[in-house]
Amino acid sequence: MAMEKILDTDNFELRSDLVIEAVDDEFLILDLTSNLYFGLNELGRVIWQGLGEGQNFGEIVVQVCENFEVDETIARLDAAEFVADLLARGLVSKKVG
């Protein structure tokens, strides 16, 4: 299945019923609906926080480049893969309009 194209101007909304906890160096997301939890590494944390702050995808890519000193192409691919996974799991949704 092809991944939906994510544009720089796309904004996303985090599900409001998720429980977020920072434990030591890990960032945990608890989905009370499915009783599943997800642990995020540092890259995931930066992307998640950007989504939560209302940054669009292009702004998140810039944050990834700045935080991890990686090439924009790599940052864009990694961020798009992560956001696509969040979308597929229903943890975030793309804002329309």
Side-chain angles (χ1 to χ4, degrees), residues 21-28 40-42 45 49:
E21 291 291 330
V23 178
D24 297 323
D25 291 338
E26 195 170 17
F27 201 69
L28 302 175
L40 302 183
N41 61 17
E42 192 173 344
R45 181 186 54 78
Q49 288 178 330

Side-chain angles (χ1 to χ4, degrees), residues 13-88:
E13 188 169 7
L14 307 178
R15 266 195 22 220
S16 61
D17 63 336
L18 300 172
V19 176
I20 314 299
E21 291 291 330
V23 178
D24 297 323
D25 291 338
E26 195 170 17
F27 201 69
L28 302 175
I29 301 169
L30 177 59
D31 182 349
L32 297 174
T33 304
S34 66
N35 290 323
L36 295 174
Y37 80 91
F38 307 91
L40 302 183
N41 61 17
E42 192 173 344
L43 173 63
R45 181 186 54 78
V46 168
I47 295 169
W48 184 267
Q49 288 178 330
L51 294 171
E53 293 169 1
Q55 294 178 357
N56 66 32
F57 184 72
E59 293 167 329
I60 291 169
V61 170
V62 169
Q63 287 294 315
V64 171
C65 289
E66 290 175 356
N67 280 278
F68 300 99
E69 299 178 5
V70 296
D71 178 78
E72 181 182 341
T73 302
I74 293 170
R76 184 173 304 284
L77 289 171
D78 288 349
E81 182 179 336
F82 182 74
V83 171
D85 188 45
L86 294 175
L87 287 165

